[in-house]
Amino acid sequence: MPSPRYTREIPSRYRLEAGRCKGCDKVAYPARRVCPSCRGKEIQMVNLTPKGKVVTSTVIHVPPDDFLMEAPYAMAIVETPEGARLMTQVVDCEPSTVLPGMDVSLEFRLIRKEGKGGILCYGHKAVPVF
Amino acid sequence: MAGLVGYGAYVPRKRIRTEEIARQWGKNPETIKRGLLLQEKSVPGFDEDTITISVAAGRAALTRAGIDPQKVGALYIGSESHPYAVKPSGTVTAEALGIGPEVHIADFEFACKAGTEAMFVALGLVEAGRVEYAMGIGADTSQGAPDDALEFSASAGGAAFIFGADDLIAEVIEAYSYTSDTPDFWRREGEFYPRHGGRFTGEPAYFKHVLAASRGILEKTGLKAEDFAYAVFHMPNGKFPMSAGKQLGFKIEQLETGWVVPTMGNTYSGSSPTGLAAILDVAKPNDLILITSFGSGAGSDSFVLKATKRLPKVQGLAPTVRSMLDGPRHYVTYGEYAKFREKMIVNE
Ligand SMILES: [Zn+2]
């Protein structure tokens, strides 16, 4: 995630901005210029509701270097009420308890640091709703 | 009259118990619990910092206010743990909240009173008519040096307040500030942990400024302790705010609602603001509320607020402080705590 790309992705990462197709209502996250389901080109920007359900999940035991201190941690594909899907870490819980069907909220968190002196990259992570 | 249109708070879910810290350093936990009145404290995860706490509290405040974020013309965050030395926490926070780019932003710093400073300036801009709404946030992920008394209290959390002129949930009756040059607690540039002047932090620092600011605003408003439903004072530990309150003539029933420190710890810039949020969670129309912060260095800000009949309508729109303090928690060991707070040196 080099800085210029991170900056371009701020609207989707910070505010969960997604695109709703005016032709078929499909919500894609992040927004696309062309609808992946009907190839429509009229896309309206919407903010995803910051909650959803776990569709599928896994536990990472051997993470990339930037996430070494966090392992083991859960990763999941989460579906929001709009039907958009995103892959996120699921935190503030035992990783093994993250299973399909779990209700989660999406919270604004620090995702990673670009090395010791680089920028801080923020986005959303899922947290179980009790 | 200007006042609050929304408020929100956030407390991380991780906790460490006083016993666990005491065990690490061979101290008697009962002495600490009795002396400082601290049972446990919040601990930020790797992925929580002043910015993420500000966003969570700010979102709750916007939800309660029910306003368009684009109308927020100023955003100030007070903290002594801004994640960047150069680059304001407010830039990231505003972007995440959907505020700006037509917005005035600054980060504030004044030890533990940076949060009320942000509120003080936000209020002033609304009163002056310069902006329609202004947000003031106090948030911290404070650090105490290992085996220092501060390690039992330094915790993480914060609260956000949106000031406006109409549809108020609480009027601000008065604001007052009291400051002097007092070297009770400091951190030099480049040092990792702050240092404090031991016993010097009590009478000549905390009590002098908290009492002077509180007495000053009482005199300015002509109000007495018994006129208030609630009062909250900066909470470096459990004992100081209770002692200050009693010296000012407040009774325990007026103090305990905002006294969140026994299970939250000292969230520094977020301390008295989070206590105020806990009070707003339950206050009734026409209740008078006193808040006095304290920041080492040293100074205090005081506000007198009066709840309106709109307040009960917004209380349930976002999580209450007590629901976060008493809700789902995850207790960590000292080893995990040291890892989360990056007190361990690891190979790159
Ligand atoms: Zn389509």
Side-chain angles (χ1 to χ4, degrees):
Chain A
M1 215 189 312
S3 310
R5 181 176 148 203
Y6 171 75
T7 305
R8 278 199 302 275
E9 291 173 351
I10 279 177
S12 61
R13 290 187 176 275
Y14 284 22
R15 296 189 295 272
L16 295 172
E17 274 188 20
R20 184 192 296 279
C21 172
K22 285 189 176 170
C24 74
D25 245 16
K26 162 96 180 167
V27 177
Y29 175 86
R32 315 261 172 89
R33 281 167 192 269
V34 177
C35 171
S37 79
C38 78
R39 302 190 176 264
K41 287 186 179 167
E42 270 196 86
I43 308 284
Q44 179 196 4
M45 300 308 284
V46 291
N47 287 355
L48 299 179
T49 314
K51 64 178 186 183
K53 253 188 205 317
V54 170
V55 177
T56 183
S57 62
T58 188
V59 178
I60 306 290
H61 293 275
V62 185
D65 284 355
D66 283 350
F67 297 85
L68 270 184
M69 294 287 273
E70 296 179 51
Y73 58 86
M75 290 296 296
I77 291 179
V78 170
E79 187 172 299
T80 72
E82 293 81 11
R85 291 184 171 192
L86 54 149
M87 185 151 78
T88 77
Q89 262 177 279
V90 186
V91 293
D92 289 3
C93 64
E94 268 311 313
S96 61
T97 62
V98 178
L99 296 167
M102 180 186 245
D103 286 309
V104 294
S105 63
L106 295 168
E107 297 191 358
F108 191 77
R109 296 292 175 96
L110 177 65
I111 306 294
R112 60 183 281 273
K113 300 172 178 174
E114 277 194 344
K116 203 167 152 47
I119 65 162
L120 305 172
C121 301
Y122 294 87
H124 282 79
K125 290 186 185 179
V127 175
V129 178
F130 292 97
Chain B
M1 179 179 280
L4 291 177
V5 298
Y7 74 97
Y10 180 77
V11 183
R13 293 173 191 81
K14 289 185 176 64
R15 300 285 195 284
I16 188 165
R17 291 192 172 96
T18 297
E19 283 88 348
E20 180 65 11
I21 302 172
R23 190 182 59 81
Q24 174 68 23
W25 302 110
K27 285 178 177 157
N28 180 355
E30 292 314 312
T31 317
I32 312 273
K33 285 167 112 175
R34 220 175 25 246
L36 300 175
L37 303 175
L38 299 170
Q39 295 162 31
E40 59 187 56
K41 66 166 190 174
S42 59
V43 177
F46 283 118
D47 56 0
E48 291 176 302
D49 59 22
T50 289
I51 289 174
T52 66
I53 292 168
S54 297
V55 171
R59 282 181 176 168
L62 284 167
T63 300
R64 285 202 174 96
I67 59 165
D68 177 2
Q70 287 289 312
K71 291 185 176 172
V72 176
L75 171 68
Y76 302 120
I77 301 177
S79 179
E80 65 168 62
S81 48
H82 291 292
Y84 286 102
V86 177
K87 174 166 170 55
S89 301
T91 55
V92 180
T93 303
E95 191 80 53
L97 294 175
I99 293 170
E102 282 186 18
V103 60
H104 188 253
I105 284 182
D107 282 3
F108 285 66
E109 224 178 290
F110 193 145
C112 293
K113 94 167 176 85
T116 56
E117 279 190 305
M119 293 162 65
F120 200 101
V121 175
L123 169 71
L125 285 178
V126 171
E127 285 177 332
R130 172 65 60 188
V131 299
E132 186 172 0
Y133 297 108
M135 191 184 286
I137 300 176
D140 252 310
T141 54
S142 343
Q143 288 268 39
D147 199 21
D148 187 287
L150 285 177
E151 203 181 23
F152 289 98
S153 58
S155 69
F161 299 89
I162 305 172
F163 294 87
D166 298 307
D167 293 328
L168 302 180
I169 56 168
E171 297 169 9
V172 177
I173 306 284
E174 192 56 89
Y176 182 87
S177 209
Y178 184 94
T179 307
S180 75
D181 181 2
T182 308
D184 57 325
F185 175 95
W186 63 91
R187 180 168 66 83
R188 291 265 299 274
E189 187 68 46
E191 292 288 304
F192 194 63
Y193 299 115
R195 292 166 193 265
H196 56 85
R199 295 198 172 277
F200 192 61
T201 56
E203 285 305 328
Y206 179 88
F207 289 101
K208 176 183 162 185
H209 295 85
V210 168
L211 297 179
S214 303
R215 285 177 182 137
I217 202 165
L218 290 178
E219 193 175 326
K220 218 172 155 190
T221 53
L223 293 165
K224 291 191 261 323
E226 60 262 36
D227 297 327
F228 289 84
Y230 303 99
V232 59
F233 305 95
H234 173 57
M235 296 168 270
N237 53 54
K239 221 165 193 176
F240 279 22
M242 279 296 179
S243 172
K246 279 172 193 160
Q247 288 185 55
L248 290 162
F250 290 94
K251 297 196 169 61
I252 185 127
E253 305 81 66
Q254 294 164 290
L255 300 171
E256 60 193 359
T257 304
W259 191 57
V260 290
V261 62
T263 53
M264 184 175 76
N266 175 11
T267 54
Y268 285 50
S269 304
S271 173
S272 52
T274 309
L276 174 61
I279 289 170
L280 292 169
D281 284 338
V282 297
K284 296 187 174 60
N286 296 318
D287 278 351
L288 280 172
I289 303 161
L290 170 68
I291 168 177
T292 300
S293 64
F294 171 72
S296 293
S300 284
D301 297 323
S302 277
F303 299 85
V304 170
L305 297 100
K306 187 181 187 183
T308 71
K309 58 182 191 301
R310 183 171 157 74
L311 177 62
K313 297 189 182 103
V314 308
Q315 284 165 335
L317 298 180
T320 64
V321 174
R322 292 286 168 187
S323 77
M324 287 183 274
L325 288 179
D326 304 337
R329 278 161 287 175
H330 176 64
Y331 288 96
V332 300
T333 62
Y334 192 89
E336 290 169 317
Y337 168 71
K339 189 173 101 167
F340 288 132
R341 300 310 282 133
E342 298 176 1
K343 296 186 190 209
M344 285 179 178
I345 298 167
V346 293
N347 272 339
E348 298 269 317

